[in-house]
Amino acid sequence: NDSVYPGTSVISPMRFLKALCRAMPCCQQVAAPASSTATCLGMCPPRGPTKGDWSWAGNEYALHRSLLADAQRTGKDGPELLWATWEVRGVLKAPPYAVLLDRQRQELVVVVRGTLNLEDCIADLAAQPCFFDPFGMATAQEASSKDFDDETGLFAHYAMLACAEDLLEQLHENPKVREMLPVSGSTLAVAKRVVVCGHSLGAGVACLLAMLLRRDLGDAVCYIGFEPPGGLLSKRLARETARLGWISAVCANDWISRLSIRSMQSLRERVLDELSKCNRSKLQLSLLAAAGLLEQTPLLSQFCWPFAALLQRLGGGPLHSDDLAVESKPYLVKRHIERQSRGADADDDMWFPELWPPGRIAYFRPTTEVLWSQQATAWVTEWARPEDLEEIIISYRSVELHFPNIILDAYDKATKDVKS
């Protein structure tokens, strides 16, 4: 976050060098448990209750710096780190997470990391639905049939649910964390509420974990997600999480919050429909795609626009629909005939069960952007519906808007807009 220009993904050499110096172990100024001991002959600060970190505790120090910066910004005491692990335990296992205790607010905070390695990518892709009824909403018939109906079904993303169940098991096995959980009806617990949060894949796992924890802890559990996956819960479960007041923050056209098997199917059908009306060759389409990439990429668009214009000209210029072009494409002609012969009911069978993002959607939208870098200088926050995120937008900016530094910049500027 500290190595790029604010609100962009463009690296600043000077900021990068400063961030590198701040990350050195001997430069850390962080608090740690009294039971821990200093390392590197006393030059490095003590290390806290963590597992799976690098030998120089780079992840832990980064976490402490973030907590310290937040405490300085809010003027409140920072939370206490109870446990954190960066251990990658394999596919369908809990991703790295941390457990924090905020004594001032009497909250136990569970933070789950997002996608960062191959195992996380596999968890993202294993998106087949599985029956899930954490709120006891299913009738006996629904529980036995395990219906995947879009409107009435109770199901969730299979891999993320497996990760959430593994994480729940780890929390219960950790005695220090277990004793902090606010057992229903107990007045002795330090924490009165459990807040589960995460980013990207971590937001999906966090939501499912919150739903599992709610079985035992009831209303003492809440969820806040940042850029959650678009294909997480069935409509019925997503509406229930919204009714509970759980919140998912989505940054404009971030592609992850719009990504699901159903949205990819819709994108595929739209692409094939466009190809059926296209009279350009594959080479021309490749040239047009390269020109579009140069035009949309910050910095490159300022210096490479003559080359982009040349590529567009070689590609035949802007695309126009040609209804007669499909006649020269046997596969697309066959597809069109098959779709007409199958009928509406058969066409519905090809669609994957629809999955939605969880909770109420807080949608952050830029209102002013710097042209050369696409840096947003002003943001507003609006409530959105899950169905508003059904369309995937393919662009460099859609990927960039998933980066944490840009998301944090959007939150800060949207907060200033609300205050003003």
Side-chain angles (χ1 to χ4, degrees):
N1 293 352
D2 298 332
S3 60
V4 296
Y5 291 104
T8 73
S9 58
V10 181
I11 295 177
S12 164
M14 187 60 66
R15 293 172 68 92
F16 176 77
L17 290 175
K18 289 181 178 179
L20 194 61
C21 292
R22 283 195 295 268
M24 295 178 64
C26 58
C27 297
Q28 305 305 310
Q29 297 178 353
V30 297
S35 59
S36 59
T37 58
T39 58
C40 301
L41 301 177
M43 294 180 61
C44 300
R47 297 176 60 173
T50 63
K51 183 179 181 181
D53 201 355
W54 293 319
S55 59
W56 62 91
N59 288 313
E60 181 188 346
Y61 293 155
L63 175 60
H64 279 299
R65 287 197 304 273
S66 297
L67 295 177
L68 180 60
D70 182 69
Q72 291 173 346
R73 183 167 57 248
T74 60
K76 299 179 180 179
D77 295 335
E80 173 189 345
L81 175 61
L82 296 181
W83 171 250
T85 175
W86 287 272
E87 185 180 25
V88 178
R89 300 171 54 244
V91 180
L92 303 185
K93 298 294 183 180
Y97 67 96
V99 183
L100 310 168
L101 177 61
D102 189 337
R103 295 184 181 275
Q104 202 167 14
R105 298 173 63 92
Q106 294 184 302
E107 291 178 344
L108 189 70
V109 183
V110 182
V111 186
V112 189
R113 195 197 70 184
T115 304
L116 195 62
N117 51 41
L118 180 61
E119 288 82 359
D120 296 336
C121 293
I122 294 174
D124 289 327
L125 294 174
Q128 64 266 35
C130 65
F131 179 77
F132 184 47
D133 183 25
F135 303 127
M137 301 166 63
T139 63
Q141 183 178 0
E142 289 174 331
S144 60
S145 65
K146 298 183 179 179
D147 181 26
F148 291 151
D149 182 80
D150 284 344
E151 297 298 330
T152 62
L154 295 167
F155 50 91
H157 190 292
Y158 161 72
M160 294 188 192
L161 178 57
C163 293
E165 290 172 341
D166 181 67
L167 179 48
L168 179 65
E169 184 178 344
Q170 288 193 57
L171 292 178
H172 285 311
E173 289 177 354
N174 190 317
K176 191 171 183 179
V177 174
R178 188 173 61 246
E179 68 183 14
M180 293 293 178
L181 291 173
V183 180
S184 297
S186 174
T187 58
L188 302 177
V190 176
K192 302 299 183 185
R193 192 167 75 143
V194 177
V195 180
V196 192
C197 56
H199 171 258
S200 190
L201 164 70
V205 175
C207 180
L208 295 170
L209 174 63
M211 297 166 85
L212 293 171
L213 284 171
R214 201 174 185 278
R215 291 173 173 175
D216 300 324
L217 305 180
D219 292 335
V221 180
C222 76
Y223 154 83
I224 301 174
F226 306 97
E227 316 305 315
L232 182 66
L233 300 173
S234 65
K235 289 184 179 181
R236 193 172 170 189
L237 287 177
R239 292 188 180 113
E240 184 64 17
T241 58
R243 187 191 66 79
L244 292 173
W246 294 0
I247 294 177
S248 290
V250 175
C251 194
N253 52 304
D254 177 4
W255 69 294
I256 292 296
S257 295
R258 299 167 180 266
L259 182 63
S260 66
I261 301 297
R262 176 70 75 92
S263 65
M264 292 302 294
Q265 286 179 311
S266 299
L267 178 63
R268 178 198 63 196
E269 293 302 308
R270 291 183 60 185
V271 168
L272 291 175
D273 287 340
E274 290 297 324
L275 285 175
S276 68
K277 301 176 183 178
C278 178
N279 56 7
R280 308 291 173 86
S281 67
K282 295 177 182 178
L283 175 60
Q284 288 177 308
L285 290 176
S286 299
L287 293 173
L288 291 175
L293 180 64
L294 290 176
E295 290 175 346
Q296 293 184 17
T297 304
L299 294 180
L300 289 180
S301 60
Q302 301 301 306
F303 301 103
C304 299
W305 65 267
F307 185 53
L310 175 62
L311 291 176
Q312 188 178 69
R313 186 173 182 83
L314 292 175
L319 285 172
H320 300 288
S321 296
D322 184 358
D323 293 334
L324 299 179
V326 69
E327 297 176 0
S328 61
K329 302 177 176 64
Y331 168 77
L332 295 178
V333 171
K334 180 181 178 182
R335 168 180 171 269
H336 181 67
I337 295 174
E338 287 178 349
R339 288 181 65 181
Q340 288 183 327
S341 61
R342 281 199 308 258
D345 294 336
D347 198 45
D348 289 341
D349 293 338
M350 79 173 196
W351 294 102
F352 195 82
E354 189 167 5
L355 293 168
W356 277 5
R360 301 186 66 194
I361 308 297
Y363 188 78
F364 291 79
R365 177 174 59 85
T367 56
T368 308
E369 290 186 331
V370 177
L371 181 62
W372 70 271
S373 65
Q374 291 189 323
Q375 177 189 8
T377 56
W379 292 78
V380 295
T381 313
E382 304 165 334
W383 291 113
R385 302 171 303 169
E387 51 265 41
D388 295 332
L389 306 179
E390 289 180 349
E391 183 181 46
I392 259 194
I393 300 174
I394 304 297
S395 70
Y396 170 82
R397 184 61 172 168
S398 296
V399 176
E400 189 181 44
L401 286 170
H402 195 65
F403 298 163
N405 64 299
I406 295 180
I407 297 169
L408 182 59
D409 182 71
Y411 296 166
D412 287 341
K413 288 175 179 174
T415 302
K416 292 176 182 177
D417 176 76
V418 172
K419 291 180 178 178
S420 62

